[in-house]
Amino acid sequence: MSEDLSRAALARVFDEARSACIYNKGDLETQTMVEQAEVVEGCRAIGVGLGIPGPSDFGVVEGILCDRAFLDERRSSAIELAEVGDLEPAGLMSREGVLLVLTASAMARAYGVAASAVGVALAALGASHEE
């Protein structure tokens, strides 16, 4: 399969999205795919990154995993989901692990899971590996 064909196939993943297109802010090619996707009206682009999140993003502020996408005051506030250190027992403190957790959290929030439930799940994930 050619590289162009693979990119086109990947870009189609975002087409007709209804709730959210979640993308890695560090991958400009994927961000472009999201910007060009034909989505259902009201679908939102949600960026995920390791830095301070902008409005409509998930990210990390002073060691805290934050959601700035799914709250009314997203321009001035963030929701704390968990501390990065909470991920250590599960072996998820690497860059890739934190990005995976933020992406999974964004997916859960896009489908209506409460931030408090995401936090409880992340705490349980860490606790299940401490035993």
Side-chain angles (χ1 to χ4, degrees), residues 37-90:
E38 295 292 328
V39 301
V40 173
E41 188 172 337
C43 180
R44 298 179 47 207
I46 308 296
V48 174
L50 297 174
I52 295 172
S56 295
D57 293 339
F58 279 64
V60 181
V61 177
E62 297 180 5
I64 298 171
L65 304 175
C66 296
D67 166 357
R68 283 192 68 191
F70 295 99
L71 68 159
D72 291 336
E73 311 81 28
R74 64 182 176 263
R75 298 219 179 273
S76 60
S77 300
I79 298 172
E80 178 179 334
L81 300 172
E83 293 184 18
V84 173
D86 296 341
L87 306 177
E88 184 173 19

